[in-house]
Amino acid sequence: MEHGSLTDLTASTFSLMDEDHTLANSVRFTLNQDPRVAFCGYSIPHPSDNKVNIRIQTTGDTAKDVLKDGFQNLMIMCQHVRTTFDKAVADYETNRPSKHMNIDTP
Amino acid sequence: MPKVSALDMPDVPMGQLPEHLQLQRSRVVCKADAPIHLESFCKNFKLEVIRLTEDEIEFDMIGIDASLANAFRRILIAEVPMMAIEKVLMVNNTSVIADEVLAHRLGLIPLNADPRLFEYLSENDSPNERNTIVYKLDVSCRKGGPRMTVKSDQLKWLPNGSELEMTPPNQSAKPKSYTSFSCSQDSMPEFSKKPLGVKHEDIIIAKLGPGQAIELEAHAVKGIGKVHAKWSPVSTAWYRMLPEVVLLKDIKGDDAEKLVKKCPVNVFDIEDLGNGKKKAVVSKPRACTLCRECIRGVNEELVELRRVKDHFIFTIESAGALPPEVLFTEAVKILEDKCDRVISDLS
């Protein structure tokens, strides 16, 4: 759900239902890295509502597109973390001394 | 002090933002197609596994922001699905432990079932072999015998579903059981090799006195830790920033000995400089718990404790259903799914 004015598309507040700090804070981070974003922040209006509001003000682009890009970037970062993690685990598995190689035990 | 309007103070910016902010406000910086920060993130991000056992993993995540590390941690605790006992059909319980307390204890028992092979049981669904695991507990203590302890290994998996029958609405109707399995779970290829038992066989469920008995059926379903902690797949998942211990001045001789003794986790060590001279060095900064014992009193100007902001030591303790490395990849996948959902909602 988007709250913004019809004339100025560069500033909007987006309400995401059933989300919390997990997603909102991560996307706030990626958005603040984006040079097109002049301001970005999020709030949870009431702790017992499952809702977050994300406010975006841009330097000229449509807020919706910038938000979409923010999520896209977050997704790319996640994918990179996942592939790096899988590789690190595989590396660890190949380099770890085998459990069956207990030569010292009689 | 004479009254001066705040606006007339010499260091007021007078409507001017600092240069870098002014630039950001007034200009759009056009860069190559992919945002610069993503490229540098992919280049600088490092991950190293320190320790990996059957149910614990420790790894270093370097070059990531706390918001993402925290998102992974939060998802691990509250949003990665698990199987846990949700419904208990009590047939007989003459033990001292009350029905609801017993049911709650059963819920907390970790099950050895891969939640990825199951579906959520939604409100309108009937429990079937794809979304429910049924266990039976039927124990009694012999009259005149000694007291007995009921342990989790006495929970027996019923691959064919519930054995209890619902009271039929009328005399002529065929009695129905509480689940509607279309086939036996142990005939399904994913479960035939690995029976769906409990993870630990020595968890005490109840104690029975002579003549007491418990007979019940427990139905496990898929859920997430947000709803109830019994569905949390981790015992804990946490991270800490890498500690950095810096000696601001050389610490020599007796002072060095004192410093080494002060630290309860042996962060410092003595380096021999030859001809009886000694110097303190930081040998194991990673072990530092930031207890501040080393900077209490006289040493405040000598030692500085810092943390590296983008270096996270991440530890995951699995509750048993899934290995810890799988849990982390599942958590990252869940964050990806969330992004995907919002993107498709926006377009």
Side-chain angles (χ1 to χ4, degrees), chain B residues 163-230:
Chain B
E163 289 173 346
L164 300 177
E165 279 166 2
M166 281 194 249
T167 34
N170 51 51
Q171 287 287 307
S172 57
K174 223 180 112 199
K176 262 173 58 188
S177 91
Y178 280 87
T179 55
S180 36
F181 280 27
S182 64
C183 67
S184 165
Q185 274 171 334
D186 56 5
S187 71
M188 290 155 84
E190 54 268 48
F191 308 130
S192 55
K193 277 181 225 132
K194 205 175 130 200
L196 298 167
V198 290
K199 180 70 188 173
H200 307 282
E201 308 216 302
D202 54 351
I203 301 171
I204 296 172
I205 297 172
K207 290 194 175 183
L208 298 182
Q212 296 178 346
I214 296 176
E215 188 186 349
L216 58 83
E217 207 173 79
H219 293 204
V221 297
K222 187 171 169 175
I224 55 173
K226 218 189 245 180
V227 179
H228 191 290
K230 68 184 174 187

Side-chain angles (χ1 to χ4, degrees), chain B residues 60-110:
Chain B
D60 281 21
M61 255 195 317
I62 307 156
I64 198 165
D65 190 70
S67 59
L68 272 156
N70 194 39
F72 297 146
R73 184 192 63 85
R74 286 173 64 96
I75 292 174
L76 275 168
I77 292 171
E79 284 176 67
V80 177
M82 260 274 277
M83 299 298 287
I85 291 170
E86 164 72 354
K87 254 193 196 132
V88 176
L89 310 175
M90 213 64 83
V91 178
N92 181 23
N93 177 19
T94 51
S95 73
V96 289
I97 187 159
D99 288 5
E100 64 273 23
V101 181
L102 182 60
H104 180 250
R105 289 178 70 76
L106 289 167
L108 295 172
I109 295 172

